[in-house]
Amino acid sequence: MRAKSPHAGYPHGEALTDHLSATLAGARLLHARVGRIDAVPEGFWRWVMVAALLHDAGKVPEGFQAMVAAPRGPVWGQRHEVYSLGFVADLLARWSNDDRSWVGLGVLTHHRPLTGPTGRAIFPTHQDTDPTAFAARFGRIDPAAQLQLREWLAAVLRAEELATDVPDPGVDLAESGYRLLEALRKQWEWAEDNDPDDSLTAVLVQGAVTFADHVSSAHSQLLPHQPVDTAFAHQLSTDMAAAGRKLRRHQCEAAALDGHMLLRTPTGSGKTEAAVLWAAGQVGHLQARGAGQPRLFYLLPYLASINAMVDRFATMLGDPDAVGVVHSKAAAFHLNRSLCVTDDSVEAARQAVSRTAATRLFRELVRIGTPYQLLRGALAGPACASILIDAANSVFVLDELHAYEPQRMGMILSMIRFWIRLGGRISVISATLPRRLVELLDECAAPTGFQQIYAQDGQWPQRHRLLVDESHLTGEGSRARIERRLRAGQSVLVVANNVADARAIHTALSPVARQLLGDDSVLLLHSRFKTIDRAAIESKIRQRFGTGRPHQPGLLVATQVVEVSLDVSFDALHTSGAPLEALIQRFGRVNRTADRPPADVVVHRPNYRRRGGSADEWADGVYEHEPTELTMAVLEAHTGTTLDEQLLGRWLDELYESPWGQRWTHHVRHSLAHFDDQFLSFEAPFDHARHELAERFDDLFDGVEAILSEDRGRYAAALDAVEDLRAGRLLGSQYLIPLPHYGKFLGSYDKDLNVLVVDGDYDPVQGLEAIHRDTHANYQLGQVI
């Protein structure tokens, strides 16, 4: 009997017993990796392993076997996991009803929701009134084959010491499965009535069985040992000492700490080493209390920071394959790495897809990514529930955590509290963290809270000198002052709040910059470029202005994307006014290594106007008026001041103690409670409606992407260039242009290519200029970033 149809590498398909054995082995690997979870009952892992062994036993009917006998066999039309319940009920007949139900739930939920539309969800599809009707669904079953499978399963249960008291055969499996299905229906059809702890246990059972099944199906090899451990920490300390870098006080304190950590330290003070030493210590503490091999998640908000951190960890560990990349552009990251060693773009795409898939199957124990990819675990459903079980008993470093807008901040805090509930250890690292956010973090880690460590080795570096300019960034006077810096041979970063302003400044200053410094001296970067063009622009920016590179004069005009995408260092900054957190990120692109006297950071007063149906005024159409105006008032009172990150932290405290800051705190708490209620209460963990939650979640973080109509042929050719559709889409992604969330209304969806297509004006240097569409929705430069 087969579990899978014939495919590459398995010309005869995969034997059912091989698949079930492999899934049980996957569950055992997961148990060894995660260890004991205090939030679930003692029998949890036994339920998971038995469910893993029995999850696909229901593939014995002849209709299913005919379907998988060939790559395109006749459709059977029934759910194998439902028939698998008969084996659960039979083989575990001498277990308690409660234990048997937990195993049955893991088997029943590893593919489909239980409640929701008929045809998609299991309970409404199976409305049979008696066992006979239930049995008739599944068609003919070879009694001898079923008995052989049953005896094989019983032998495995005994040999693996999962069930020592297995009854002799003799019951009707269909009838037994029907009875267990009805018992599960009674318990989970109205899941809102269940105990919240039971709902969490149910989701983790589902996630564990799905995890084991996916690892088995993909024949994936999980890495068994956490490389960031106490031995690694000792070696790192030794290597640093040998290089003349004696551990600083805050690094020693981080290494010795047992519990959650909040580290405040300036840029360039060895915060990454401190975080890694802390993480290695927590791995040891968790292992000592039976938490398996804790995963280390090093989370950063920005893709460029993530990509650089991947390289840094790969160097520290001496093994790039030990580090996983977890963010929305992970495949593109691996593609770029592959293209560095091969000119074959098709083969590079295949390699990138393979590496990304391995990380999605939880291969590595060290992963670098964004918080948002882990937030997906809150959506439940089989795949997302696997994210949750994998995060249990893990170590999380949240580097560069800032006071984000309230909705996202509340979501992140909610997940921090949830990770702690699942046995996790949390570290938050930031040079500038307002007291109000510290209080919120402590509430999430109650009763212990966060142990705070401050960098105290000498004065914090003073990298910047603040100047406030009352003229708008696009004004003639502002442009004249920027031009004088170019004539003086400086490298200048100009950051506008929207695309229209950035394009206008670039157009005005490009001629003089090229005349003075050469054609490659002036660059424009914003979010409305094709992926292929943006990659080329960012490469040129790094070559000319990258941190640590020889100084070259020039001009980069950008929007907020420069805050999140590049490790660069300039001589001076001219920026539109914005809330202080955004400005701090922009300041950080200037005199980055503090190897020169304080550099000028010039903040220009923004214009305020309404946007898109809003009665409120927004700074340059982008930022909220009140926090921006509060920031400008603080800056104007301190123009001419030399800055360090401690001073900026005090200014943040001042802003968040204002009435606006009090409202921000209230909104964060409301968002936290809402996310708890909507996503982490798991009141209906197996309902189809959680798919709607997934769509709402994606809308919070993702805009849309589109190709230009002129690129339709090239995009189609990329899809056809490789037999693997995922690799083809990765090759085609070079033509995608990010758009705001309403971009779906600005074009037409090509069902054949599965992509949004827009008709627009585009230039490789200037980016997207306009979209032509006879509709109520219009893309306006300057309205969105």
Side-chain angles (χ1 to χ4, degrees):
M1 286 184 288
R2 296 180 177 91
K4 309 287 182 181
S5 299
H7 60 276
Y10 289 85
H12 303 293
E14 184 177 8
L16 179 55
T17 50
D18 287 348
H19 176 64
L20 296 179
S21 295
T23 306
L24 173 58
R28 287 204 179 279
L29 283 172
L30 180 62
H31 182 202
R33 171 179 278 205
V34 174
R36 185 179 66 252
I37 305 174
D38 292 338
V40 299
E42 189 66 30
F44 176 84
W45 284 112
R46 188 185 184 206
W47 304 332
V48 167
M49 283 185 274
V50 175
L53 176 65
L54 304 180
H55 77 292
D56 276 358
K59 292 181 175 180
V60 68
E62 293 182 358
F64 181 89
Q65 289 301 310
M67 182 173 68
V68 296
R72 295 181 181 177
V75 175
W76 180 43
Q78 299 300 323
R79 298 308 311 170
H80 65 271
E81 62 268 38
V82 175
Y83 194 73
S84 296
L85 292 179
F87 289 89
V88 175
D90 175 23
L91 292 164
L92 309 182
R94 291 174 181 163
W95 284 28
S96 71
N97 290 336
D98 189 50
D99 286 340
R100 189 167 54 249
S101 292
W102 282 117
V103 174
L105 188 69
V107 168
L108 192 60
T109 60
H110 75 275
H111 283 304
R112 292 289 184 94
L114 298 184
T115 56
T118 300
R120 175 62 187 168
I122 287 173
F123 286 159
T125 301
H126 285 265
Q127 296 287 352
D128 309 297
T129 57
D130 60 69
T132 302
F134 176 82
R137 284 179 168 272
F138 302 102
R140 188 180 185 282
I141 298 167
D142 182 343
Q146 181 165 278
L147 180 60
Q148 284 184 318
L149 178 60
R150 196 258 188 209
E151 288 304 292
W152 180 84
L153 291 168
V156 174
L157 288 171
R158 295 188 189 100
E160 298 286 340
E161 298 183 348
L162 294 172
T164 57
D165 190 14
V166 179
D168 293 331
V171 302
D172 183 328
L173 261 64
E175 180 174 352
S176 298
Y178 173 79
R179 302 297 179 198
L180 182 52
L181 177 64
E182 292 309 302
L184 292 171
R185 187 197 306 274
K186 183 177 180 180
Q187 182 177 4
W188 293 101
E189 189 164 29
W190 303 103
E192 299 88 345
D193 298 332
N194 286 332
D195 184 283
D197 289 340
D198 284 346
S199 294
L200 173 60
T201 299
V203 169
L204 294 177
V205 167
Q206 178 194 43
V209 175
T210 306
F211 183 113
D213 186 27
H214 287 175
V215 167
S216 167
S217 297
H219 305 281
S220 176
Q221 296 297 315
L222 302 179
L223 297 181
H225 301 295
Q226 172 56 262
V228 179
D229 56 10
T230 51
F232 170 81
H234 176 74
Q235 187 61 51
L236 177 61
S237 302
T238 302
D239 291 345
M240 290 176 64
R245 298 165 55 205
K246 183 181 177 181
L247 287 185
R248 302 181 183 184
R249 176 179 171 181
H250 64 275
Q251 292 171 331
C252 294
E253 291 178 352
L257 189 149
D258 181 3
H260 312 303
M261 177 180 74
L262 196 161
L263 175 63
R264 302 197 208 197
T265 177
T267 302
S269 64
K271 66 180 178 66
T272 302
E273 289 83 356
V276 172
L277 290 168
W278 170 85
Q282 305 320 300
V283 167
H285 294 309
L286 289 172
Q287 287 174 335
R289 54 179 287 269
Q293 296 289 330
R295 277 70 61 224
L296 168 58
F297 295 96
Y298 201 107
L299 306 177
L300 293 132
Y302 309 131
L303 296 187
S305 303
I306 291 168
N307 296 345
M309 192 61 68
V310 170
D311 293 336
R312 190 164 182 179
F313 264 86
T315 300
M316 284 192 293
L317 296 175
D319 181 8
D321 289 338
V323 185
V325 185
V326 187
H327 61 63
S328 60
K329 301 297 183 184
F333 169 85
H334 289 303
L335 177 62
N336 289 333
R337 289 295 191 273
S338 297
L339 288 173
C340 291
V341 297
T342 177
D343 294 329
D344 186 342
S345 61
V346 171
E347 179 58 27
R350 289 195 188 100
Q351 294 175 6
V353 167
S354 176
R355 184 64 193 276
T356 305
T359 298
R360 285 178 179 165
L361 287 170
F362 313 104
R363 174 182 178 272
E364 302 92 355
L365 289 157
V366 176
R367 294 180 219 145
I368 317 297
T370 66
Y372 307 119
Q373 295 303 307
L374 288 183
L375 284 174
R376 297 192 66 84
L379 304 179
C384 294
S386 293
I387 297 174
L388 290 185
I389 189 70
D390 180 63
N393 290 335
S394 288
V395 177
F396 301 85
V397 176
L398 284 86
D399 197 352
E400 299 186 36
L401 183 69
H402 305 294
Y404 304 115
E405 58 85 22
Q407 187 175 29
R408 297 190 184 200
M409 191 76 256
M411 295 168 70
I412 291 173
L413 291 172
S414 176
M415 286 306 296
I416 286 175
R417 186 162 67 186
F418 187 75
W419 291 330
I420 292 173
R421 182 182 176 189
L422 292 184
R425 298 287 179 90
I426 313 294
S427 172
V428 173
I429 303 173
S430 181
T432 53
L433 207 65
R435 279 193 301 266
R436 285 197 177 273
L437 181 51
V438 175
E439 293 169 1
L440 290 167
L441 285 165
D442 277 336
E443 291 173 11
C444 292
T448 59
F450 282 78
Q451 300 178 55
Q452 298 193 39
I453 295 176
Y454 295 86
Q456 299 175 343
D457 298 345
Q459 183 180 21
W460 287 35
Q462 296 181 316
R463 296 186 290 154
H464 307 124
R465 183 170 70 103
L466 172 67
L467 299 171
V468 176
D469 193 321
E470 290 299 316
S471 63
H472 192 264
L473 186 63
T474 58
E476 289 186 11
S478 301
R479 294 201 300 268
R481 287 185 279 279
I482 296 169
E483 181 179 329
R484 283 198 293 272
R485 293 187 185 275
L486 294 174
R487 292 185 180 279
Q490 292 187 352
S491 60
V492 185
L493 172 63
V494 177
V495 184
N497 285 341
N498 61 60
V499 176
D501 288 351
R503 285 167 55 96
I505 296 166
H506 178 264
T507 299
L509 290 173
S510 286
V512 66
R514 291 193 175 99
Q515 181 183 7
L516 289 170
L517 306 171
D519 289 341
D520 295 334
S521 65
V522 57
L523 295 158
L524 173 67
L525 180 66
H526 55 73
S527 59
R528 308 293 175 226
F529 281 99
K530 297 178 189 177
T531 302
I532 187 173
D533 292 332
R534 177 164 172 171
I537 293 168
E538 289 185 347
S539 177
K540 291 177 181 178
I541 292 171
R542 285 190 294 268
Q543 290 173 12
R544 191 172 188 98
F545 305 116
T547 303
R549 285 188 169 272
H551 178 271
Q552 291 190 72
L555 173 67
L556 171 61
V557 183
T559 60
Q560 293 88 326
V561 297
V562 77
E563 301 170 17
V564 303
S565 62
L566 294 168
D567 181 11
V568 289
S569 185
F570 290 83
D571 296 329
L573 167 72
H574 284 258
T575 175
S576 293
L580 187 55
E581 285 94 341
L583 292 180
I584 290 171
Q585 290 301 309
R586 300 176 192 184
F587 295 171
R589 310 303 167 195
V590 177
N591 195 13
R592 196 162 176 80
T593 56
D595 56 352
R596 301 189 301 277
D600 288 347
V601 290
V602 185
V603 182
H604 295 255
R605 176 163 283 281
N607 291 330
Y608 295 94
R609 65 173 186 269
R610 295 180 180 179
R611 72 176 191 191
S614 171
D616 300 324
E617 290 191 328
W618 302 74
D620 293 326
V622 174
Y623 290 109
E624 287 184 76
H625 183 285
E626 189 171 4
T628 305
E629 195 57 29
L630 286 169
T631 295
M632 293 304 300
V634 171
L635 300 183
E636 286 168 354
H638 296 89
T639 187
T641 300
T642 300
L643 305 179
D644 63 38
E645 288 163 309
Q646 279 185 310
L647 177 59
L648 293 172
R650 290 195 290 272
W651 290 355
L652 278 176
D653 285 339
E654 181 181 337
L655 291 176
Y656 281 91
E657 291 301 323
S658 69
W660 170 83
Q662 295 173 24
R663 292 195 302 275
W664 177 88
T665 305
H666 171 77
H667 291 321
V668 169
R669 287 199 170 100
H670 175 77
S671 172
L672 190 159
H674 179 74
F675 192 74
D676 274 354
D677 180 63
Q678 290 291 303
F679 292 89
L680 293 177
S681 65
F682 304 115
E683 283 187 352
F686 308 120
D687 190 84
H688 182 77
R690 296 201 70 98
H691 291 281
E692 297 176 6
L693 291 179
E695 293 176 2
R696 286 163 47 196
F697 179 87
D698 289 341
D699 285 344
L700 293 173
F701 299 108
D702 299 326
V704 295
E705 293 179 311
I707 62 171
L708 296 171
S709 55
E710 65 191 50
D711 287 330
R712 191 192 304 261
R714 287 182 281 269
Y715 186 82
L719 297 187
D720 293 337
V722 56
E723 67 280 358
D724 186 331
L725 181 60
R726 294 170 300 174
R729 292 212 172 279
L730 182 56
L731 288 176
S733 67
Q734 62 187 322
Y735 301 108
L736 293 174
I737 301 174
L739 295 175
H741 63 89
Y742 62 79
K744 64 184 72 173
F745 303 113
L746 301 176
S748 58
Y749 197 79
D750 189 314
K751 294 182 179 179
D752 293 331
L753 298 180
N754 196 27
V755 69
L756 180 69
V757 181
V758 297
D759 180 18
D761 298 330
Y762 182 86
D763 178 83
V765 175
Q766 291 279 334
L768 184 65
E769 299 175 352
I771 294 177
H772 307 297
R773 175 76 170 171
D774 184 15
T775 178
H776 63 280
N778 294 292
Y779 173 66
Q780 298 178 12
L781 288 173
Q783 183 178 358
V784 292
I785 60 175

